[in-house]
Amino acid sequence: MSQVFSRDGVRRLRTPWILLAASIAAAVVLIGGTQVYLQKEQRDARGSEGRLQQARTRVDNIRKERDNLEESAAIYRSLLARGLMQPERRLDVVELMNALRTQHRIFSVDYEMSPQRALTLAGGNAFPSVDILASRVTLRLRALHEGDVLGFIQAVGQSGQGFHPVDRCLMKRIDSAAASEALQPRVEAECGLEWITMKDKRGA
Amino acid sequence: MATHHLYLTNSVLVSLLARRGSITRREFAVDDAGVGEFEAYLRTVARIPARLHVDLSEEDFRADMIPHVGRGDREVIIGRKLGQIYRNAPFRHAIVQGRESEGRRDDRVLYAAITSAEVLKPWLDAIERVEAPLEGMHSAPLLGARLLEALGINHPHTLLVHFSPGEALRQTYFRGTELRLTRLTHIDLNEGQTPGALLAEETTRTWQYLDNLRSFGADDRLEVVILAHPRDHPAIGPSLEGFTQLGYHLLDTDQVSGKIGLKPPARGPGAEELLVHLLDRKPPENHYATPEMRRFATLRSARNAIVTGAIGMLVVGIVGGVLTLARIMTTSERDQQTEREVMDLNRQYDQVRRSMPTYDVAGAAMRDAVGFYGGFIQGFPSMAQFAIPLSAALEAHPAVRLNQLAWQATDDAKAMPALTPQPSRVPPPAKAFARGAEAAVRSPAGEDLSSQPFASGRYEVALVEALVTSPAHDFRGAIAEVEKLAEDIGRIKGYRADVVESPLDLRSSLQLQGRNADREPAQMDARFLLRVVRTRGTT
């Protein structure tokens, strides 16, 4: 082995050594160069994958938005038909109470409507494009049967004009001694509801 | 791969060049002209590695025994012995052939040397001048053991006899597989003497010599194995008559060639082609060549290794590059496909955006209005829907009569509706109460509901105040009836009922009052309070 690395050995093996060095260099350049290029391609591919994902998300979102918009439009048209975006019409309340009292055989209906206010929503929910307004309505009913009371309240809640969700109600029997005579009210109820309307802020 | 064997005897040097399945044989006389011809010839095949085999009368062998020691020490001992025995011989070698079975169990060593280096000098000078790669210089007699091994000959005492180039006869005596003695005799036939007679005479003489050295036991027999060309057999065979202590085995060199795989079979009368063929199958260790003599072979091996390494590196680089290139192309193709998909999705996006409906009212207001409707109004509960299943449960308990129901839609699962307790007209004869805490519920009076946030009605909470009619003092039955009612309400999907106030509160922390008298009503109406909760989305 010492002959290989002697002066004469090195001289005689100069060409093979140069060939080996050149081969190593070529191998390093070939592998290293292609690896670098591969990494660049992979980076580009990852970037493309990211853009593809974003494009998919964008298309999905706009499709959902379109679907939501179409669905919302249908709902919104029904809301408009119920007069939700119109100013509060208190005369409708008076007429509604009168009509439902007769319809559900209620002995008496007393109601109070508070001044209209901006409705505070539970959970801190807010809708920045519309003003949600409500008037608190308190009803006091006297009826022969609990079913009449429930029917009346149900009818108020489902009234075709505006939205009036009944959110609390206390229903109790009237003392039997006082209710012994025929056709006397046996049930009385006190219920609360919100008379809700909306206003587009842009139109304000 | 080509191999070049040089077989040197005292009168001739035989060149055997094996290349592409054929052997080229050239002979050069041992004189100045022969050396000159050899050098000229060697220049034409100087790139082929060569091995020099010496079959000379100047080669001396001596058997010896040395203590069995470690490898390093053994080499020192052998080196010293060689120096002592062959002080002036530059070409010397030692082989450890075996070990004694008795006594100190010494190692049996055979020393070999070429006692006159002058015989070799012209040839070695020619090789040096040509710079031919000399891989080794080997002793031909020492290779005889390989021939016996290849032929499967394993007698206790064997005398291998073969002809050498230049009219010589080589006799090598093996005890088992160990070389003990070798003789080279010039063939000089007397008038009328046949080769067979000469062989018989020489081998008998060798046997007598060995016998004088007490090499044999009383029953031992020397097996003489003679290698000869088939055409010489008629002149040899008839003269070989063995006796009790000596037996002859005449081997056909054609058959031996076939047995060891030499093609074509050996042509000459000598055994040199057979011996060198065995070396090609398994190259032996170098016997006599110094590192300096072998330097061109060493450099050639190094050159081959370096070039092989270079080619290997280049192949690795190319293969690695090609594999990576394939991955690059795959990645690039996938990338282009991804880009096409992105462009396609962008087109879809534009199409969907263009097809989006437009409305008179701003989209934000519409979204908010619909959002409020969906979140708060659409699923808002109604008391009637709450009361219907509750009413069905109460019908199954005729002893229970509803007094009042306070219902509330809320987002607070712990909410408690306001209710003013109504006392029973036929109160029970016993009741429990806490000092200063008569009622467990709040009165509805005075609540300002307009300031409270509007809930989406996720929960419906109701307080049910009712009376249970039971025989006087049957509190156990009344309590059981109320608990059964709460259980029945709890079975309705989405409902949960808890007894807030029992017909008779039995907690030890409360004060209990009772009354027993002769004239008492047969029945009592015990008041109780249930809290019923329904959760939206579970019904």
Side-chain angles (χ1 to χ4, degrees), chain B residues 161 251 262 284 351 357 360 365-366 373 416:
Chain B
V161 182
L251 299 184
L262 174 62
Q351 284 172 0
D360 296 337
M366 183 176 76
Y373 172 75
M416 185 71 89

Side-chain angles (χ1 to χ4, degrees), chain A residues 1 3-4 8-10 12-13 16-17 19-24 26-28 30-31 33-35 37-38 41-42 44-49 51-53 55-56 58-59 62-63 65-66 69-80 82 84-85 114 117 119-123 125-130 132 136 146 150-151 153-154 158 163 165-173 175-177 190-192 194 196 198 200-202, chain B residues 131 290-296 298-300 302-303 306-307 309-311 313-314 316-318 320-322 324-325 327-328 331-335 338-339 341-342 345-346 348-350 352-353 355-373 376-378 380-385 387-388 401-411 417-420 422 425 444 447 449-456:
Chain A
M1 190 54 70
Q3 290 165 345
V4 174
D8 182 54
V10 170
R12 287 175 182 274
L13 297 175
W17 282 124
L19 190 65
L20 178 62
S23 298
I24 291 171
V28 168
L30 274 170
I31 293 175
T34 50
Q35 280 292 331
Y37 193 66
L38 175 64
E41 283 293 319
Q42 285 174 335
D44 290 351
R46 279 197 293 274
S48 298
E49 287 288 334
R51 284 196 296 281
L52 177 65
Q53 197 58 42
R56 278 181 183 149
R58 209 156 63 112
V59 170
I62 199 164
R63 278 180 178 156
E65 194 178 341
R66 182 189 62 188
L69 205 59
E70 286 172 357
E71 191 181 344
S72 296
I75 295 170
Y76 189 66
R77 279 193 291 273
S78 73
L79 297 182
L80 290 177
R82 290 185 70 161
L84 192 71
M85 299 300 287
S114 303
R117 72 195 191 282
L119 189 64
T120 308
L121 299 174
N125 282 288
F127 297 93
S129 300
V130 291
I132 298 167
R136 185 77 194 171
E146 294 94 334
L150 291 174
I153 294 167
Q154 183 84 354
Q158 292 175 346
F163 289 106
V166 178
D167 57 6
R168 59 185 65 213
C169 214
L170 171 63
M171 188 168 62
K172 60 184 176 186
R173 292 180 192 278
D175 191 305
S176 59
E190 183 178 324
C191 300
E194 297 288 354
I196 298 172
M198 286 188 206
D200 185 357
K201 280 185 177 173
R202 288 199 324 162
Chain B
E131 297 186 353
T290 61
E292 182 62 19
M293 289 162 63
R294 297 176 64 205
R295 72 179 189 282
F296 294 116
T298 305
L299 291 174
R300 179 181 177 278
R303 182 184 299 112
I306 293 168
V307 170
I311 291 169
M313 286 304 297
L314 209 56
V316 167
I318 290 169
V322 166
T324 313
L325 208 59
R327 287 179 65 194
I328 288 170
T331 308
S332 175
E333 196 176 325
R334 203 172 56 228
D335 191 27
T338 306
E339 286 296 341
E341 282 183 49
V342 169
L345 285 168
N346 286 342
Q348 287 181 33
Y349 175 82
D350 290 339
V352 173
R353 193 167 53 81
S355 69
M356 292 268 279
T358 54
Y359 299 98
D360 296 337
V361 178
M366 183 176 76
R367 270 196 296 272
D368 278 358
V370 172
F372 171 71
Y373 172 75
F376 286 87
I377 304 298
Q378 193 173 27
F380 201 84
S382 80
M383 183 179 176
Q385 295 297 323
I388 290 167
R401 197 167 68 93
L402 185 67
N403 245 3
Q404 52 181 336
L405 170 71
W407 171 88
Q408 182 182 346
T410 178
D411 287 342
L419 182 138
T420 305
Q422 283 191 334
R425 275 196 291 154
E447 274 192 302
L449 300 174
S450 61
S451 62
Q452 292 183 3
F454 180 68
S456 64

Side-chain angles (χ1 to χ4, degrees), chain B residues 424 426-432 468-484 502-506 512-516 520-528:
Chain B
S424 161
V426 187
K431 66 173 180 177
V468 54
T469 304
S470 63
H473 295 287
D474 185 12
F475 287 103
R476 200 175 294 276
I479 291 169
E481 182 73 20
V482 171
E483 286 176 351
K484 180 73 170 54
S502 175
L504 181 62
D505 197 330
L506 300 174
L512 183 71
Q513 285 183 348
R515 180 176 56 84
N516 275 322
E520 283 185 337
Q523 290 191 319
M524 63 175 185
D525 290 334
R527 177 183 166 276
F528 66 92

